Amino acid sequence: MHRVSSNLTVFFKFFLPTVWIVFFGTFTAAIFMTDNTQLSFLTTPLFRFSFLGAYLFFLILIYFSVVQLKRVEMGAEHFIVSNYFKTYRLRYEDIESVSIIPFFRLSIITFRLRARSSFGKKITFLASTFLWNNFLSTHPEVDETFSKLSEDSN
């Protein structure tokens, strides 16, 4: 099995949401618990509710983007998907389409599955472009399959 997911997946999946929730959650709570005499600007209702709205908006954005990232390892016959707690083995035949979005030295890759799996119908992962290309060059049959799936989705 060859790991194609970037090591940054752990940072984005666990560290970023934890820091966001703890730091900005504590700051939001402090804004609502502070009285008007100590910090008059930070305790106006407009600022309080604007900050609360921004905090909740970015919390939802983080949940639906980076928390959904998976770790993916690939082999000649199947691929393994993990959310770092549960791990499942899936076949390449289960993939309906492949979407690849280049992002600097990384790629955001989405597999749309034919049927719902334990992780849903869509598997998104942050791939190291070097590891991804290295795997595809050593497994031309998988590269051919992904090429067909990418063409079909365009």
Side-chain angles (χ1 to χ4, degrees), residues 2 12 25 27 30 33 53 55 57 62 66 72-73 75-76 90 104 106 119-121 126-127 134 148 152-153:
H2 298 274
F12 285 121
F27 188 67
M33 292 190 307
Y55 172 72
F57 172 76
I62 286 171
V66 297
V72 175
E73 295 180 14
L90 300 169
F104 299 109
L106 304 170
F119 291 131
K121 201 165 164 87
L126 188 63
N134 188 31
K148 287 180 187 175
D152 294 343
S153 64

Short mmCIF file of all heavy atoms in Angstrom, two decimals, residues 2 12 25 27 30 33 53 55 57 62 66 72-73 75-76 90 104 106 119-121 126-127 134 148 152-153:
data_model
loop_
_atom_site.label_atom_id
_atom_site.label_comp_id
_atom_site.label_asym_id
_atom_site.label_seq_id
_atom_site.Cartn_x
_atom_site.Cartn_y
_atom_site.Cartn_z
N HIS A 2 0.45 2.23 -0.77
CA HIS A 2 1.18 3.48 -0.88
C HIS A 2 0.30 4.61 -0.33
O HIS A 2 -0.82 4.80 -0.78
CB HIS A 2 1.52 3.78 -2.35
CG HIS A 2 2.40 2.77 -2.97
ND1 HIS A 2 3.76 2.82 -2.87
CD2 HIS A 2 2.11 1.66 -3.70
CE1 HIS A 2 4.28 1.80 -3.52
NE2 HIS A 2 3.30 1.08 -4.03
N PHE A 12 -4.77 19.78 9.38
CA PHE A 12 -6.04 20.39 9.02
C PHE A 12 -7.22 19.70 9.69
O PHE A 12 -8.21 20.34 10.03
CB PHE A 12 -6.24 20.39 7.51
CG PHE A 12 -5.42 21.42 6.81
CD1 PHE A 12 -4.51 21.05 5.84
CD2 PHE A 12 -5.56 22.76 7.11
CE1 PHE A 12 -3.75 22.00 5.18
CE2 PHE A 12 -4.80 23.73 6.46
CZ PHE A 12 -3.88 23.34 5.50
N GLY A 25 -13.43 30.22 20.77
CA GLY A 25 -14.54 29.91 21.66
C GLY A 25 -14.37 30.57 23.02
O GLY A 25 -15.31 31.13 23.59
N PHE A 27 -12.53 33.27 23.56
CA PHE A 27 -12.67 34.70 23.33
C PHE A 27 -14.13 35.11 23.21
O PHE A 27 -14.55 36.13 23.76
CB PHE A 27 -11.88 35.12 22.09
CG PHE A 27 -11.81 36.61 21.89
CD1 PHE A 27 -11.11 37.41 22.78
CD2 PHE A 27 -12.46 37.21 20.82
CE1 PHE A 27 -11.04 38.77 22.60
CE2 PHE A 27 -12.40 38.58 20.64
CZ PHE A 27 -11.69 39.37 21.52
N ALA A 30 -15.61 35.04 26.62
CA ALA A 30 -15.13 36.19 27.40
C ALA A 30 -15.85 37.46 27.00
O ALA A 30 -16.16 38.31 27.86
CB ALA A 30 -13.63 36.35 27.19
N MET A 33 -19.18 37.44 28.74
CA MET A 33 -19.13 37.46 30.22
C MET A 33 -18.54 38.75 30.77
O MET A 33 -18.65 39.00 31.96
CB MET A 33 -18.33 36.26 30.73
CG MET A 33 -19.03 34.95 30.46
SD MET A 33 -18.32 33.51 31.25
CE MET A 33 -16.62 33.54 30.76
N GLY A 53 -21.57 35.41 15.35
CA GLY A 53 -21.95 34.95 14.02
C GLY A 53 -20.75 34.53 13.19
O GLY A 53 -20.78 33.49 12.52
N TYR A 55 -17.84 33.55 14.36
CA TYR A 55 -17.29 32.34 14.99
C TYR A 55 -18.07 31.11 14.54
O TYR A 55 -17.49 30.10 14.12
CB TYR A 55 -17.35 32.47 16.51
CG TYR A 55 -16.99 31.21 17.25
CD1 TYR A 55 -15.68 30.75 17.29
CD2 TYR A 55 -17.97 30.46 17.90
CE1 TYR A 55 -15.36 29.58 17.95
CE2 TYR A 55 -17.65 29.30 18.57
CZ TYR A 55 -16.34 28.87 18.59
OH TYR A 55 -16.02 27.71 19.26
N PHE A 57 -20.02 30.83 11.85
CA PHE A 57 -19.86 30.65 10.41
C PHE A 57 -18.57 29.90 10.08
O PHE A 57 -18.57 28.94 9.31
CB PHE A 57 -19.88 32.01 9.70
CG PHE A 57 -19.54 31.93 8.24
CD1 PHE A 57 -20.47 31.45 7.33
CD2 PHE A 57 -18.29 32.31 7.78
CE1 PHE A 57 -20.16 31.36 5.98
CE2 PHE A 57 -17.97 32.22 6.43
CZ PHE A 57 -18.91 31.74 5.53
N ILE A 62 -15.27 25.17 8.69
CA ILE A 62 -14.20 24.23 9.03
C ILE A 62 -14.75 22.82 9.09
O ILE A 62 -14.14 21.88 8.58
CB ILE A 62 -13.53 24.63 10.37
CG1 ILE A 62 -12.65 25.85 10.16
CG2 ILE A 62 -12.71 23.48 10.94
CD1 ILE A 62 -12.10 26.45 11.44
N VAL A 66 -12.42 21.00 6.14
CA VAL A 66 -11.22 20.28 6.56
C VAL A 66 -11.47 19.10 7.48
O VAL A 66 -10.71 18.13 7.47
CB VAL A 66 -10.17 21.23 7.18
CG1 VAL A 66 -9.70 22.24 6.17
CG2 VAL A 66 -10.71 21.92 8.41
N VAL A 72 -5.85 8.45 2.72
CA VAL A 72 -6.03 7.44 1.68
C VAL A 72 -4.69 6.77 1.37
O VAL A 72 -3.67 7.44 1.21
CB VAL A 72 -6.63 8.07 0.40
CG1 VAL A 72 -6.70 7.06 -0.72
CG2 VAL A 72 -8.00 8.64 0.69
N GLU A 73 -4.74 5.45 1.33
CA GLU A 73 -3.61 4.64 0.88
C GLU A 73 -4.12 3.82 -0.30
O GLU A 73 -5.25 3.35 -0.29
CB GLU A 73 -3.12 3.73 1.99
CG GLU A 73 -2.54 4.47 3.17
CD GLU A 73 -2.06 3.55 4.27
OE1 GLU A 73 -1.93 2.33 4.03
OE2 GLU A 73 -1.81 4.06 5.36
N GLY A 75 -3.42 0.78 -3.40
CA GLY A 75 -2.70 -0.40 -3.86
C GLY A 75 -3.13 -0.73 -5.28
O GLY A 75 -3.90 0.01 -5.89
N ALA A 76 -2.67 -1.85 -5.78
CA ALA A 76 -2.98 -2.23 -7.16
C ALA A 76 -4.45 -2.61 -7.35
O ALA A 76 -5.04 -2.32 -8.37
CB ALA A 76 -2.09 -3.38 -7.60
N LEU A 90 -11.86 -0.21 0.09
CA LEU A 90 -12.81 -0.08 -1.01
C LEU A 90 -12.12 -0.48 -2.31
O LEU A 90 -10.90 -0.44 -2.43
CB LEU A 90 -13.31 1.36 -1.11
CG LEU A 90 -14.03 1.91 0.13
CD1 LEU A 90 -14.24 3.40 0.01
CD2 LEU A 90 -15.35 1.21 0.32
N PHE A 104 -1.14 24.41 -5.03
CA PHE A 104 0.30 24.51 -4.79
C PHE A 104 0.95 23.14 -5.00
O PHE A 104 0.85 22.58 -6.07
CB PHE A 104 0.62 25.09 -3.42
CG PHE A 104 0.09 26.49 -3.24
CD1 PHE A 104 -0.97 26.74 -2.40
CD2 PHE A 104 0.65 27.55 -3.94
CE1 PHE A 104 -1.46 28.03 -2.25
CE2 PHE A 104 0.16 28.84 -3.79
CZ PHE A 104 -0.89 29.07 -2.94
N LEU A 106 0.07 20.49 -3.43
CA LEU A 106 -0.92 19.52 -2.99
C LEU A 106 -2.04 19.45 -4.02
O LEU A 106 -2.13 20.29 -4.91
CB LEU A 106 -1.50 19.93 -1.63
CG LEU A 106 -0.49 20.12 -0.50
CD1 LEU A 106 -1.18 20.74 0.70
CD2 LEU A 106 0.14 18.80 -0.13
N PHE A 119 -18.31 6.12 4.90
CA PHE A 119 -17.95 7.54 4.96
C PHE A 119 -18.82 8.40 4.06
O PHE A 119 -18.51 9.56 3.81
CB PHE A 119 -16.48 7.73 4.58
CG PHE A 119 -15.52 7.19 5.59
CD1 PHE A 119 -14.48 6.38 5.20
CD2 PHE A 119 -15.64 7.48 6.93
CE1 PHE A 119 -13.57 5.87 6.11
CE2 PHE A 119 -14.75 6.98 7.86
CZ PHE A 119 -13.72 6.18 7.45
N GLY A 120 -19.88 7.84 3.53
CA GLY A 120 -20.76 8.60 2.65
C GLY A 120 -20.49 8.31 1.19
O GLY A 120 -19.76 7.38 0.85
N LYS A 121 -21.05 9.12 0.33
CA LYS A 121 -20.93 8.91 -1.11
C LYS A 121 -19.75 9.66 -1.70
O LYS A 121 -19.40 9.49 -2.85
CB LYS A 121 -22.23 9.36 -1.78
CG LYS A 121 -22.45 8.76 -3.14
CD LYS A 121 -23.87 8.96 -3.58
CE LYS A 121 -24.02 8.74 -5.05
NZ LYS A 121 -24.26 7.42 -5.48
N LEU A 126 -6.60 15.27 0.92
CA LEU A 126 -5.56 16.19 0.53
C LEU A 126 -4.35 15.34 0.14
O LEU A 126 -3.72 14.73 0.98
CB LEU A 126 -5.22 17.11 1.70
CG LEU A 126 -4.30 18.26 1.46
CD1 LEU A 126 -4.93 19.24 0.46
CD2 LEU A 126 -4.02 18.98 2.76
N ALA A 127 -4.07 15.28 -1.15
CA ALA A 127 -3.01 14.41 -1.65
C ALA A 127 -1.73 15.21 -1.88
O ALA A 127 -1.77 16.34 -2.36
CB ALA A 127 -3.43 13.74 -2.95
N ASN A 134 3.70 9.69 -8.12
CA ASN A 134 4.57 8.54 -7.96
C ASN A 134 3.76 7.24 -7.97
O ASN A 134 4.14 6.27 -8.63
CB ASN A 134 5.38 8.66 -6.67
CG ASN A 134 6.43 7.59 -6.55
OD1 ASN A 134 6.97 7.11 -7.53
ND2 ASN A 134 6.72 7.21 -5.31
N LYS A 148 -10.01 7.72 -17.19
CA LYS A 148 -11.36 7.53 -17.74
C LYS A 148 -12.40 8.18 -16.85
O LYS A 148 -13.33 8.83 -17.32
CB LYS A 148 -11.67 6.05 -17.88
CG LYS A 148 -10.95 5.37 -19.00
CD LYS A 148 -11.34 3.90 -19.05
CE LYS A 148 -10.51 3.15 -20.05
NZ LYS A 148 -10.79 1.72 -20.01
N ASP A 152 -14.93 11.30 -17.79
CA ASP A 152 -16.38 11.15 -17.70
C ASP A 152 -17.01 12.24 -16.86
O ASP A 152 -18.13 12.68 -17.11
CB ASP A 152 -16.75 9.79 -17.12
CG ASP A 152 -16.37 8.65 -18.04
OD1 ASP A 152 -16.13 8.92 -19.25
OD2 ASP A 152 -16.30 7.50 -17.57
N SER A 153 -16.30 12.72 -15.83
CA SER A 153 -16.88 13.73 -14.95
C SER A 153 -16.80 15.12 -15.55
O SER A 153 -17.48 16.04 -15.12
CB SER A 153 -16.19 13.71 -13.59
OG SER A 153 -14.83 14.07 -13.71
#
